[in-house]
Amino acid sequence: MKLLDGRSMAAEIGRGVVDDVERLREAGRVPTLAVVLPGTDAAARSYVGVIERGAAKVGVHCVVHELSGDTAELVATVDRLAADDEVHGLMVQTPLPPGVSATDIGTRIPPHKDVDGMNPLSLGRLALGLPCFAPATAAAVLEILHRGDIKIAGIHAVVIGRSPVVGKPASLLLLAEDATVTICHSRTTDLVSIVHEADVVVAAVGRPKMIGKGFIRPGAVVIDVGTNVTESGLVGDVDADAVASVAGALTPVPGGVGPVTTMLLLRNTTSAAAL
Amino acid sequence: MKLLDGRSMAAEIGRGVVDDVERLREAGRVPTLAVVLPGTDAAARSYVGVIERGAAKVGVHCVVHELSGDTAELVATVDRLAADDEVHGLMVQTPLPPGVSATDIGTRIPPHKDVDGMNPLSLGRLALGLPCFAPATAAAVLEILHRGDIKIAGIHAVVIGRSPVVGKPASLLLLAEDATVTICHSRTTDLVSIVHEADVVVAAVGRPKMIGKGFIRPGAVVIDVGTNVTESGLVGDVDADAVASVAGALTPVPGGVGPVTTMLLLRNTTSAAAL
């Protein structure tokens, strides 16, 4: 079984980002990512810390805007950053305050700054195969497959989960690269036998260790997008110990999709700064 | 085998549209659909004639703008109609002049007038399950399933074709109604066995009679979106004579998806007029 090591992939992507940052700074432009943290959620604060440290490592200027949970303040902050020419990438960390939808906020992020693909227009452009920023987690799935030298064209990919930030955009990205794609979800009947058909499985359900050995066809590639916080630490959607004996390749949790996602946000920011 | 009769379904939808038109006219509003015909393509002209006759039947005011094939004229016309408060629905018939993409034009159609779902933002909103107009052909697939009393939640639907006007939006609509969805296309390997798993097959490939009996699991529902002009007339993507002996239900061509699509454009126009 091949371990798809997200940390080393992220480091490799990071070296490219460092070069991009250098070129941009030489041209007098400091690539800047604005991260809005709408409230005081501890997990969100912690993840934003991960982004900040990653940005510091590659030289992207990262400014975190910590808000109180007030909706008007959130909207005003996003609008201000959207209009600020010195901000190249703009993302809003979830969870959002009650009564505010990701669409409400995403619509206010200009597509050319939308480094985490929150604007519905970005998703529409993604579906049409037009240039855009995809949600970074979905983009990380494809990046890992590419860097792992895993064939996509003509394969059968099964995506478990249909969220707007992972399942749907990952499906559309796989489709754009000529995979045959099946999207499963909580209402899917006979999930085991459908997933068992897959050459590539993308697990994005948010249920710890839900995908066991019986789901996986021998030799299949398994991308575990789950990040479930449990008593025994961060756990994926895949029962890695069991699946390792049958899968052809597997991403660990932690150390798989997560680090690549963070680095893609930073790479998207340098791309946005180069526009 | 149950024949899913698009003509009678369209007539039924049409009765509802007539009521809507009446209410709107009583409120002093004449629901108006502007159809832009960018050039002199004969098939496009002919289809626009179908829309005009349908509109006349239900009382929707339909204005066709026949252009010469000039891009600047097309853009100016779309912009003018986009800004015209007396136009509620706005669609541009393909083919477009060389060098102009459906996205270029679709982006100029305001989402609230976008009755054929050409704006990338409409597709993004569709993917997110937000209110929007879907491409009428894709919406017709779902409408036929609903009117045919065919269960969607929990079934396995296989969509053959990934175009932005049928395959992708139909897949997203089926997914939103809790089907497990597989999207196949020209690069799919082992198409027959994948389609054979389907409870509902949506054929949107544009190849006459490509889907034969061997693709269809006994009892499966087959929606034929193909409209291929051949020497023997209009022919679907499904070999209807062969498939009829095994399918549980089937849409004919002509008289299936086509008439429902046209009527949904008109229903979308009354919905747009009511906004």
Side-chain angles (χ1 to χ4, degrees):
Chain A
M1 206 268 315
K2 180 177 178 179
L3 197 72
L4 297 165
D5 178 357
R7 286 205 184 94
S8 73
M9 290 180 182
E12 205 174 308
I13 302 164
R15 286 191 281 278
V17 175
V18 166
D19 292 346
D20 293 341
V21 168
E22 199 167 315
R23 265 194 299 278
L24 286 161
R25 286 186 182 254
E26 275 167 13
R29 201 175 291 196
V30 180
T32 300
L33 172 63
V35 181
V36 179
L37 187 61
T40 54
D41 184 83
R45 184 69 199 82
S46 159
Y47 179 54
V48 168
V50 172
I51 300 173
E52 282 184 287
R53 287 191 294 279
K57 264 190 221 160
V58 296
V60 166
H61 183 50
C62 179
V63 185
V64 177
H65 300 265
E66 291 197 54
L67 309 181
S68 64
D70 179 67
T71 300
E73 184 193 21
L74 171 60
V75 167
T77 303
V78 171
D79 286 354
R80 181 168 55 77
L81 295 166
D84 184 342
D85 285 343
E86 294 191 356
V87 171
H88 305 106
L90 172 53
M91 64 168 284
V92 178
Q93 182 59 45
T94 54
L96 302 175
V100 189
S101 75
T103 305
D104 295 338
I105 295 302
T107 303
R108 312 185 89 92
I109 302 176
H112 63 280
K113 295 187 179 187
D114 186 21
V115 290
D116 201 18
M118 275 187 85
N119 192 320
L121 181 56
S122 298
L123 188 57
R125 293 183 60 89
L126 178 64
L128 293 166
L130 299 168
C132 68
F133 293 118
T137 309
V141 171
L142 277 284
E143 187 80 27
I144 289 170
L145 293 172
H146 293 159
R147 289 186 182 265
D149 279 326
I150 290 151
K151 185 179 173 240
I152 300 176
I155 63 129
H156 188 179
V158 175
V159 177
I160 317 169
R162 54 176 161 173
S163 77
V165 289
V166 190
K168 278 177 193 163
S171 299
L172 291 164
L173 289 167
L174 287 161
L175 189 63
E177 297 196 16
D178 293 331
T180 299
V181 180
T182 299
I183 315 177
C184 300
H185 45 77
S186 56
R187 298 292 300 276
T188 293
T189 45
D190 205 5
L191 183 67
V192 175
S193 67
I194 290 176
V195 176
H196 205 270
E197 296 289 310
D199 302 304
V200 168
V201 177
V202 178
V205 271
R207 286 173 60 186
K209 299 192 181 184
M210 182 191 150
I211 305 303
K213 188 175 170 181
F215 285 79
I216 306 302
R217 188 162 76 178
V221 174
V222 181
I223 308 292
D224 187 353
V225 186
T227 50
N228 308 288
V229 180
T230 70
E231 285 181 2
S232 49
L234 196 67
V235 166
D237 291 344
V238 175
D239 184 350
D241 292 337
V243 163
S245 65
V246 58
L250 174 64
T251 58
V253 175
V257 174
V260 175
T261 300
T262 306
M263 194 50 76
L264 291 187
L265 280 174
L266 299 168
R267 190 174 71 183
N268 286 351
T269 302
T270 59
S271 301
L275 288 177
Chain B
M1 206 265 319
K2 180 178 179 179
L3 198 71
L4 297 166
D5 179 357
R7 287 206 184 92
S8 74
M9 289 180 183
E12 205 175 308
I13 302 164
R15 285 191 282 279
V17 176
V18 166
D19 292 345
D20 293 340
V21 169
E22 199 167 311
R23 264 194 299 277
L24 286 161
R25 286 185 182 255
E26 275 167 13
R29 202 177 289 197
V30 180
T32 299
L33 173 64
V35 181
V36 179
L37 188 60
T40 55
D41 183 83
R45 184 69 199 84
S46 159
Y47 178 56
V48 168
V50 172
I51 300 173
E52 282 183 288
R53 288 191 293 280
K57 263 190 221 160
V58 297
V60 166
H61 182 50
C62 179
V63 185
V64 178
H65 300 264
E66 291 196 53
L67 309 181
S68 64
D70 179 67
T71 300
E73 184 193 22
L74 171 59
V75 167
T77 304
V78 171
D79 286 352
R80 180 168 55 75
L81 295 167
D84 184 343
D85 285 343
E86 295 193 354
V87 170
H88 306 107
L90 171 54
M91 64 169 283
V92 178
Q93 182 60 45
T94 54
L96 301 175
V100 189
S101 74
T103 304
D104 294 337
I105 295 303
T107 302
R108 312 185 89 91
I109 302 176
H112 64 279
K113 295 188 178 187
D114 186 22
V115 290
D116 200 17
M118 275 186 85
N119 191 320
L121 181 57
S122 298
L123 187 56
R125 292 184 61 90
L126 179 63
L128 293 167
L130 299 168
C132 67
F133 292 119
T137 308
V141 170
L142 276 285
E143 186 80 27
I144 288 170
L145 293 172
H146 293 158
R147 290 186 181 264
D149 279 326
I150 290 150
K151 184 179 174 243
I152 299 176
I155 64 130
H156 188 179
V158 175
V159 177
I160 317 169
R162 54 176 161 173
S163 78
V165 290
V166 190
K168 277 177 196 162
S171 299
L172 291 165
L173 289 167
L174 287 161
L175 188 63
E177 297 196 17
D178 293 331
T180 300
V181 180
T182 299
I183 315 177
C184 299
H185 45 78
S186 56
R187 299 291 301 276
T188 293
T189 45
D190 205 4
L191 184 66
V192 176
S193 66
I194 290 176
V195 176
H196 205 269
E197 295 289 311
D199 302 302
V200 168
V201 178
V202 178
V205 270
R207 287 173 60 186
K209 299 192 181 185
M210 182 190 150
I211 306 302
K213 189 175 168 179
F215 286 79
I216 306 301
R217 187 162 77 177
V221 174
V222 182
I223 308 292
D224 188 353
V225 187
T227 51
N228 309 289
V229 179
T230 70
E231 285 180 2
S232 49
L234 196 67
V235 166
D237 291 344
V238 175
D239 184 350
D241 292 338
V243 164
S245 66
V246 57
L250 175 64
T251 58
V253 175
V257 174
V260 175
T261 300
T262 307
M263 194 50 76
L264 291 187
L265 280 174
L266 299 168
R267 190 175 72 184
N268 285 350
T269 302
T270 59
S271 300
L275 288 177

